[in-house]
């Protein structure tokens, strides 16, 4: 049973890593093109023109926050897998790790989806790029709650004679 769980966890870990890498590669070309356009627009723009707060400051800051959350979610999931391998299944440490993994993928998915929808990206492209993040984040949060219930039941059972 532990071998089957290890295999599933490794597959999930590989899928998370592939998701992060593919997301960076796909968004890098778009980001580089937008940077070049912004650079050219900035070179040709009037110096007295006001800075666009949303695109000039807020979007890059949210991007860095989302990258931090995704990396943190990946680390939390790796720590969760290591705890499972050490036979520490129903311990209090696993619940926050799963919640970090869930929120760390769910929040960037919401941010990227809302940015894409506000930027008038076609809905089918938004669905294809972000739905797996939503599903994984919600799945981690559901599993975290199941672990919390299991831990509570284990503690109650330990108290009975």
């Amino acid at each position: 049973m532990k071998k089957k769980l290890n295999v599933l966890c490794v597959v999930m870990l590989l899928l998370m890593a592939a998701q992060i890498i593919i997301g960076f590669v796909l968004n890098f070309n778009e980001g580089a093109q937008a940077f070049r356009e912004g650079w050219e627009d900035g070179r040709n723009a009037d110096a007295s023109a006001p800075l666009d707060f949303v695109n000039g400051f807020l979007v890059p800051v949210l991007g860095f926050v989302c990258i931090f959350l995704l990396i943190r979610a990946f680390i939390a999931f790796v720590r969760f897998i290591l705890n499972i391998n050490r036979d520490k299944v129903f311990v209090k440490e696993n619940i926050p790790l799963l919640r970090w993994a869930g929120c760390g993928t769910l929040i960037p998915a919401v941010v990227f989806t809302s940015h894409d929808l506000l930027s008038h990206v076609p809905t089918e492209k938004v669905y294809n790029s972000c739905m797996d993040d939503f599903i994984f984040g919600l799945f981690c949060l559901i599993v975290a709650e199941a672990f919390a219930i299991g831990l509570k039941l284990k503690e109650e059972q330990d108290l009975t004679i």
Side-chain angles (χ1 to χ4, degrees):
M1 182 160 160
K2 186 176 175 184
K3 186 175 182 179
K4 191 186 306 184
L5 182 63
N6 284 340
V7 170
L8 291 174
C9 287
V10 167
V11 168
M12 184 65 84
L13 185 65
L14 290 174
L15 289 174
M16 279 182 73
Q19 173 188 7
I20 291 171
I21 292 169
I22 290 171
F24 286 146
V25 169
L26 291 178
N27 291 327
F28 180 76
N29 290 333
E30 294 174 10
Q33 180 64 28
F35 179 78
R36 276 190 234 106
E37 290 173 5
W39 187 269
E40 292 298 322
D41 291 344
R43 186 184 313 173
N44 299 331
D46 183 16
S48 63
L51 179 65
D52 184 14
F53 176 74
V54 172
N55 290 327
F57 178 73
L58 192 60
V59 171
V61 168
L62 284 176
F64 285 122
V65 168
C66 290
I67 289 170
F68 169 76
L69 286 173
L70 286 171
I71 292 170
R72 180 67 173 103
F74 184 76
I75 291 169
F77 195 72
V78 168
R79 288 180 57 202
F80 170 71
I81 292 171
L82 292 175
N83 279 347
I84 297 295
N85 283 331
R86 293 183 193 123
D87 289 331
K88 294 197 261 180
V89 179
F90 290 108
V91 293
K92 288 186 180 184
E93 185 182 350
N94 286 341
I95 297 167
L97 291 175
L98 282 170
R99 287 182 179 154
W100 263 108
C103 291
T105 55
L106 196 61
I107 291 171
V110 169
V111 169
F112 292 145
T113 300
S114 60
H115 179 266
D116 287 347
L117 290 176
L118 292 174
S119 300
H120 304 295
V121 175
T123 308
E124 63 189 30
K125 185 176 179 186
V126 173
Y127 177 81
N128 288 338
S129 65
C130 293
M131 187 51 78
D132 55 346
D133 297 338
F134 279 117
I135 292 171
F136 181 74
L138 288 174
F139 177 75
C140 282
L141 291 175
I142 290 169
V143 171
E145 293 308 311
F147 267 70
I149 292 169
L151 180 64
K152 189 177 180 183
L153 291 173
K154 180 182 175 253
E155 289 174 351
E156 287 178 3
Q157 182 186 13
D158 290 342
L159 293 175
T160 59
I161 297 176

